[in-house]
Amino acid sequence: MLAQIGDEAKLLAGGQSLIPLMKLHFANPGHLVDLNFIPEISYIKEEDGALGFGALARHAEIENSATAAKLPIIHDCAAGIADVQVRNRGTIGGSIAEADPSGDWATVLLTQAAEVRCLSPKGERAVSLNQFITDAYTTVLAHDELVSEITVKIPPKGTGAAYLAFKRAAPVYPTASAAVSVAMEGDVCKEADIALGCVGLIAIKATAAEAALRGQRLTDKSIAAAAEAARAAADPQSDMRGSAGYKRALVVALVKRVIEIAARRARGEQVEVSHIYA
Amino acid sequence: MANKFGGEEKKWVGKALPRKEEDRLLRGRGRFADDIKLRDMAYLRFVRSPYAHARIISIDTSAAEALAGVVCTLTGKEIVPQTQPFIEIGPDSKVRDYPFAVSKVRYQGEPVAAVVAESASIADDAAELVRVEYEALEPVMDAEQALQDNSILHEEAGTNKIWHGVFEYGDVEKDFQDAAFVVRIDRLHFHRFSSTPLENNVVIGEWNLKDDRIYYSCNNSFPSFAIQFLSAHLNVHIDRIRVQTSDIGGSFGIKITNYPQMAVVALASKKAGGRPVKWVETRSEHMTSSAHGNERTFRDTRVALDKNGLITAITSRHIDDCGAYPRYEPLGCVIWSQVFPGVYRFKNARIDFTQTVTNKCPVGPNRGYSRMQHLWFLERVIDICAHELGIPADEMRMRNYIRPEEFPYTTPNGCVYDSGNYPGMLELAKQLIGWDAWKKKQAEAQKQGRLIGIGIGTTLDSGTNNFGQSQIVNPGAPFSGNSQGANCKLDIYGEVVVAVGSCPQGQGHETTAAQVVADVLNISPDLITVRTGFDTERNVHTGFSGTYASQFAVSGLSAVHGAAQKLKTEMKRLAAFVLESEEDDVEFGVGAQGPELRAKRTGKSINYWGLANIVNVNSAVLPVEMYDITLNCRYIWRAPFKVPDKQRKYGNLTLTYASQLHIAVIEVDRETFIPTILDYVAVDDCGTVINPPIVEGQVYGATAHGIGAALLENCAYDAVGNMLTSTFSDYTPITALNMPKIKYGHIQTPSPHSYSGAKGMGEGGAAPIHTISAALQDALFSNGIIIEDSFNNADSLFRALVGKEICQAERLVKLERRAS
Amino acid sequence: MPENIEKISVKLNVNGKTYVRNLEPRLLLVEFLREELDLTGTHVGCDTTYCGACTVLMNGAAVKSCTVFAVQADGAEILTVEGLEKDGQLHPIQKAFGDSYGLQCGYCTPGLLISTYELLSHNKQPSDKQIRKAIAGNTCRCTGYQNIFKAIQLAAQNRTRT
Ligand SMILES: Cc1cc2nc3c(=O)[nH]c(=O)nc-3n(C[C@H](O)[C@H](O)[C@H](O)COP(=O)(O)OP(=O)(O)OC[C@H]3O[C@@H](n4cnc5c(N)ncnc54)[C@H](O)[C@@H]3O)c2cc1C
Ligand code: FES
Ligand code: FES
């Protein structure tokens, strides 16, 4: 289908990124191919110890899905994107294909060993999320290729993850956000994944921050060290959402809080997370 | 209070009556300007400047004109020969203001041309084909820099300064000599924001070439002012301009200044052969080029206080930034002085006031216009002095408030505050918020290193202007006083129909007007039709008619009351004749045949239909001496004002002074720097309340505007004049998630100036901005921080606390102790 | 340019009535509703999908009709503010907004009514926080939201009572 239309074609999923751009004349694709008429790719399923999200699964469907609720961080993310109306349309596939530097999904999925299934007339391939997005608004997708599914492994017990953002209002992207996943053994953090959103051209995997936690007991000190390492990893721009200096400070605060929530979840606690609004 | 005023029993006034406007709006049947579609209508789109300051080298519209579906284009050069520059309110102004930039552009988003096409989308495409060549000039983005005149916006004027004047009362220097304390504040700054009504500007205009009249359907909120500008600008007799409004999706003053766009639409219609032309503003256009509120900088403030912390004198230099064109300005240079001392008792002060143009969007009279800037300044002064002297904020206010027994209170500049009880409001607000409990919590939290602040903001909402104040800024201005018209009639079949000169945008005028008439005629408001919107053709407007400046409850309803009484008198006379009874024996009531007039003790009555029948279609039965009865009564209400003393800048500038007192408890998070409102109380006093839920709704709305302005909404520009908040997504108008729960309370000090005791209200004096600044300062003062700006968000608080970039007390404020 | 854009045949149901139209592919749903069907109760307040004045129900889900192409509504059921009343009687949500003074200028109201409709369709007794989240995408410039919160609570109460 795509191959026939050629270079000028754009896929239309939820349209919640593409239509605003077209309205402001920032995009003017020659053709639009509406994915919405392919109902087969809007599923949310659990299979072989992994969650599979069809590319067309809407944020709201994920927010309200009992299956997706197995991974609370997925719910944190889905429920915090924009507002009800945008969540009712926007899709997980569109979100990562758009590769907006402030998009929530990429940040969250970076901590979840997510894989992106890509489909083209030539066949199918799976790309790990950290290789999928290469730059702001840029992915490895070929022009005749689409995202068909995103899969996330369900981690073993003892792992907890959470996602938190600061937003000025619901229908705008966050000022900064942080996603953390920790695998705990008692008090000790065995494995950590930390990703930062809105503070770089793409979501940033804060590896030094992860290293600061790995093998450590979670104390105020180790958490603060990780948060400081995250600050160093952040590379924000000053804009209307905040100055670069402020965003770095915010990263520190967010990372600290998210580590704590992730650790509590790792211990089996139910913790509800809601973004912070101005 | 007695249950009677204005001569009749208060049955409906004061009631929580459901709004008449509701039904159509709830059903989606409101009629907003953009809902109107006319035969053969064409669509207009503006071509706007990407530069803040540039010379226009050339405009090439040929490609646009060549596009299929384009009707015509229009540029500044073309309209100059056909029009006069807009009226300037300022004295000897040399500014030449046209609805298009002619030789240069002066703010980003300024219209340079327009395209008219068969459809909105063709007009869109065509606008992109207009080629404009510019030569960039140095933009002037800061008011104080502008006053150096290094780069001049209006070369004809030779300076960026628009107005300068000194407001001085009393022996200021003596107070400073005698002062126990002198506090100096280097700089305070009130930011630019806009209340951004949800409905953008819309103009449909038709310059009908057959009758040579201009017909507008639009959402201008002060049409009688607009037609005065348009008539002079377009060289058209004022009666040839008809303006109609219907439902309006909010204005907050912003839609007063859309007359330049109205002019373009008319001229475009003329060029298009008289076809109706529609312009619907986009939100981005609204943000960059509609109108913003005034930005103001307060320099070199000195405050003299006695040993008890009573302020005796203030001197200060105020610099107001009105954007690229003065438009409604320099009225703002005097409007603030309606509240010269705010709610405080000091008598002596010298304010040196200057206004300047800059390369930003022109300002318009945004809700709380010009007064909120000044009131914020005074509240900052109070809190800064309180903190410097170590006096609690509530105590500081109690010592400085004008006392209840002092009303009516004459201010140093001759304004008469009609009534008020500020200590009473403070008491009530403290009670509602649980002041003592919060003080305790605050102390505990402080021990844990948390930053919690409690702030008070007291403010005034002055309503019903004396336009004579325009003569203080321009001695030659031909304006004074204030008036409003209304018409009340029995229509041919006896229906009661009311028309008002106001131009409502959600304030419930249809409802409150019906309440007033219902009391006069002793019938139910359901039986009264109040016309929607404004129409010059109804002939009820005066030159001041519109909806602005918190005045409907006074001027509008007084006019309605006057018209209804006139009608009542006529009905009585006529009924007495018909019923062969004495006028004094005629009673108003409702009978089996609907509303009627009865002759006491006779059992005789005549209903409204009967009366209307005689006057309108059965007049042969009417004796000659009754020929003056029309049952169609127009009444013009006039405010009892005098022309102020221009030299001394002295006189009563407004009729009523509603007041607001807010208290906020705010915590600034130590790590995220996000300020969170933990508790909020709004106490209001607008005299006698005509419809309590409507008043409460206005208070909530004004409170949201203030909280939004204080924490989220800022019209930001970069150094070269690009507007950084040109969309809602950047500007982030306040949403349900940002809005705290508001506790509401009110007291009533009736105004002696309105027939009902009501005071104008609705602007709210921006109380939340003062209150939030105060609370933030209370939270941060122990860290040596003074809140210097009216806009504070997490980022600016971060920069204050960590970056130490701004508002450090030791730099900004100096305390001189002279007390022995 | 405009002539050679291929129109697309669309069949959709709006407020219980079925419409079949040939539409330009880039026509927004809100433009279709307002301009073609003259359902002007749905409003436009912004150009960046912020304000929610354009909110309509599409197959039971609230959407911002300024950010949906009309052709995407092919086969869909749309409910706009005009479709809320029944036989001239206000819908309980409309009534609750009126009774609570939940509107002033009324420009945001149609969108808010629809967002409330969606909320109450799956949440009979929303908490204060849930109400705020549900209308976080609907800007109101007049009311300060307080009476809207009350209106939604009242609408929920009235529903559970009946
Ligand atoms: C007001 C508003 C606020 C928002 N706030 C947030 C927020 O806070 N956080 C956040 O993360 N997002 C936010 N978004 C974006 C929203 O989440 C979008 O839904 C998402 O970014 C894009 O998803 P979509 O399905 O709408 O994609 P579309 O807009 O349809 O498409 C986006 C891009 O991806 C391409 N594409 C779509 N699907 C595929 C596919 N399956 N394979 C390949 N390419 C594809 C399209 O061609 C297009 O280039 C906001 C959007 C709006 C309008
Ligand atoms: S008009 Fe659709 S969100 Fe503003
Ligand atoms: S009532 Fe005016 S915008 Fe909500």
mmCIF file of all heavy atoms in Angstrom, chain A residues 23, chain C residues 43-54 64-67, ligand 2:
data_model
loop_
_atom_site.group_PDB
_atom_site.id
_atom_site.type_symbol
_atom_site.label_atom_id
_atom_site.label_comp_id
_atom_site.label_asym_id
_atom_site.label_seq_id
_atom_site.Cartn_x
_atom_site.Cartn_y
_atom_site.Cartn_z
ATOM 1 N N LYS A 23 -2.237 21.966 10.082
ATOM 2 C CA LYS A 23 -3.038 23.174 10.268
ATOM 3 C C LYS A 23 -2.161 24.418 10.320
ATOM 4 O O LYS A 23 -2.541 25.477 9.871
ATOM 5 C CB LYS A 23 -3.851 23.069 11.561
ATOM 6 C CG LYS A 23 -5.120 22.265 11.374
ATOM 7 C CD LYS A 23 -5.754 21.916 12.698
ATOM 8 C CE LYS A 23 -6.259 23.120 13.459
ATOM 9 N NZ LYS A 23 -6.859 22.722 14.747
ATOM 10 N N HIS C 43 -17.638 24.978 18.645
ATOM 11 C CA HIS C 43 -16.877 26.202 18.409
ATOM 12 C C HIS C 43 -15.398 25.953 18.153
ATOM 13 O O HIS C 43 -14.897 24.847 18.373
ATOM 14 C CB HIS C 43 -17.026 27.136 19.611
ATOM 15 C CG HIS C 43 -18.432 27.586 19.851
ATOM 16 N ND1 HIS C 43 -18.952 27.807 21.096
ATOM 17 C CD2 HIS C 43 -19.435 27.856 18.983
ATOM 18 C CE1 HIS C 43 -20.213 28.190 20.995
ATOM 19 N NE2 HIS C 43 -20.525 28.218 19.723
ATOM 20 N N VAL C 44 -14.725 27.011 17.755
ATOM 21 C CA VAL C 44 -13.276 26.965 17.578
ATOM 22 C C VAL C 44 -12.674 28.072 18.431
ATOM 23 O O VAL C 44 -13.109 29.219 18.341
ATOM 24 C CB VAL C 44 -12.894 27.187 16.100
ATOM 25 C CG1 VAL C 44 -11.379 27.306 15.946
ATOM 26 C CG2 VAL C 44 -13.419 26.046 15.247
ATOM 27 N N GLY C 45 -11.691 27.724 19.254
ATOM 28 C CA GLY C 45 -11.091 28.751 20.108
ATOM 29 C C GLY C 45 -9.586 28.855 19.968
ATOM 30 O O GLY C 45 -8.976 29.755 20.529
ATOM 31 N N CYS C 46 -8.981 27.916 19.260
ATOM 32 C CA CYS C 46 -7.525 27.968 19.162
ATOM 33 C C CYS C 46 -7.084 27.265 17.894
ATOM 34 O O CYS C 46 -7.899 26.723 17.152
ATOM 35 C CB CYS C 46 -6.875 27.298 20.376
ATOM 36 S SG CYS C 46 -6.971 25.492 20.357
ATOM 37 N N ASP C 47 -5.787 27.274 17.638
ATOM 38 C CA ASP C 47 -5.290 26.542 16.475
ATOM 39 C C ASP C 47 -4.211 25.537 16.847
ATOM 40 O O ASP C 47 -3.452 25.087 16.008
ATOM 41 C CB ASP C 47 -4.815 27.504 15.373
ATOM 42 C CG ASP C 47 -4.077 28.709 15.938
ATOM 43 O OD1 ASP C 47 -3.611 28.636 17.095
ATOM 44 O OD2 ASP C 47 -3.963 29.721 15.232
ATOM 45 N N THR C 48 -4.115 25.204 18.136
ATOM 46 C CA THR C 48 -3.116 24.209 18.537
ATOM 47 C C THR C 48 -3.711 23.106 19.420
ATOM 48 O O THR C 48 -3.030 22.552 20.279
ATOM 49 C CB THR C 48 -1.941 24.884 19.290
ATOM 50 O OG1 THR C 48 -2.480 25.656 20.378
ATOM 51 C CG2 THR C 48 -1.130 25.776 18.374
ATOM 52 N N THR C 49 -4.983 22.815 19.213
ATOM 53 C CA THR C 49 -5.604 21.666 19.888
ATOM 54 C C THR C 49 -5.548 21.802 21.408
ATOM 55 O O THR C 49 -5.423 20.831 22.131
ATOM 56 C CB THR C 49 -4.930 20.350 19.426
ATOM 57 O OG1 THR C 49 -4.664 20.445 18.031
ATOM 58 C CG2 THR C 49 -5.830 19.148 19.629
ATOM 59 N N TYR C 50 -5.649 23.033 21.889
ATOM 60 C CA TYR C 50 -5.524 23.268 23.325
ATOM 61 C C TYR C 50 -6.871 23.399 24.019
ATOM 62 O O TYR C 50 -7.086 22.844 25.096
ATOM 63 C CB TYR C 50 -4.711 24.552 23.545
ATOM 64 C CG TYR C 50 -4.368 24.868 24.991
ATOM 65 C CD1 TYR C 50 -3.177 24.425 25.544
ATOM 66 C CD2 TYR C 50 -5.221 25.626 25.799
ATOM 67 C CE1 TYR C 50 -2.837 24.714 26.860
ATOM 68 C CE2 TYR C 50 -4.893 25.920 27.109
ATOM 69 C CZ TYR C 50 -3.699 25.461 27.640
ATOM 70 O OH TYR C 50 -3.368 25.749 28.949
ATOM 71 N N CYS C 51 -7.804 24.137 23.397
ATOM 72 C CA CYS C 51 -8.903 24.704 24.180
ATOM 73 C C CYS C 51 -10.135 23.815 24.337
ATOM 74 O O CYS C 51 -10.918 24.009 25.246
ATOM 75 C CB CYS C 51 -9.325 26.037 23.583
ATOM 76 S SG CYS C 51 -10.268 25.865 22.049
ATOM 77 N N GLY C 52 -10.340 22.869 23.416
ATOM 78 C CA GLY C 52 -11.471 21.962 23.558
ATOM 79 C C GLY C 52 -12.839 22.558 23.261
ATOM 80 O O GLY C 52 -13.857 21.893 23.472
ATOM 81 N N ALA C 53 -12.896 23.796 22.752
ATOM 82 C CA ALA C 53 -14.191 24.388 22.403
ATOM 83 C C ALA C 53 -14.867 23.581 21.303
ATOM 84 O O ALA C 53 -16.076 23.665 21.108
ATOM 85 C CB ALA C 53 -14.011 25.838 21.946
ATOM 86 N N CYS C 54 -14.082 22.792 20.592
ATOM 87 C CA CYS C 54 -14.554 22.037 19.432
ATOM 88 C C CYS C 54 -14.903 20.600 19.789
ATOM 89 O O CYS C 54 -15.115 19.781 18.892
ATOM 90 C CB CYS C 54 -13.450 22.038 18.393
ATOM 91 S SG CYS C 54 -11.966 21.251 19.067
ATOM 92 N N LYS C 64 -11.329 16.276 19.855
ATOM 93 C CA LYS C 64 -11.271 17.680 19.445
ATOM 94 C C LYS C 64 -11.484 17.713 17.940
ATOM 95 O O LYS C 64 -10.616 17.277 17.168
ATOM 96 C CB LYS C 64 -9.932 18.286 19.865
ATOM 97 C CG LYS C 64 -9.834 18.411 21.386
ATOM 98 C CD LYS C 64 -8.554 19.038 21.896
ATOM 99 C CE LYS C 64 -8.685 19.341 23.394
ATOM 100 N NZ LYS C 64 -7.415 19.801 24.005
ATOM 101 N N SER C 65 -12.650 18.186 17.533
ATOM 102 C CA SER C 65 -13.025 18.053 16.123
ATOM 103 C C SER C 65 -12.205 18.970 15.227
ATOM 104 O O SER C 65 -12.283 18.881 14.007
ATOM 105 C CB SER C 65 -14.519 18.327 15.938
ATOM 106 O OG SER C 65 -14.832 19.658 16.288
ATOM 107 N N CYS C 66 -11.372 19.822 15.826
ATOM 108 C CA CYS C 66 -10.448 20.622 15.010
ATOM 109 C C CYS C 66 -9.211 19.818 14.683
ATOM 110 O O CYS C 66 -8.345 20.267 13.956
ATOM 111 C CB CYS C 66 -10.045 21.887 15.763
ATOM 112 S SG CYS C 66 -8.965 21.553 17.165
ATOM 113 N N THR C 67 -9.108 18.617 15.233
ATOM 114 C CA THR C 67 -7.911 17.812 15.017
ATOM 115 C C THR C 67 -8.302 16.408 14.529
ATOM 116 O O THR C 67 -7.654 15.412 14.830
ATOM 117 C CB THR C 67 -7.044 17.793 16.304
ATOM 118 O OG1 THR C 67 -6.919 19.143 16.778
ATOM 119 C CG2 THR C 67 -5.649 17.270 16.045
HETATM 120 S S1 FES D 2 -10.467 24.598 18.631
HETATM 121 FE FE1 FES D 2 -10.125 22.535 18.897
HETATM 122 S S2 FES D 2 -8.917 22.511 20.639
HETATM 123 FE FE2 FES D 2 -9.173 24.638 20.353
#
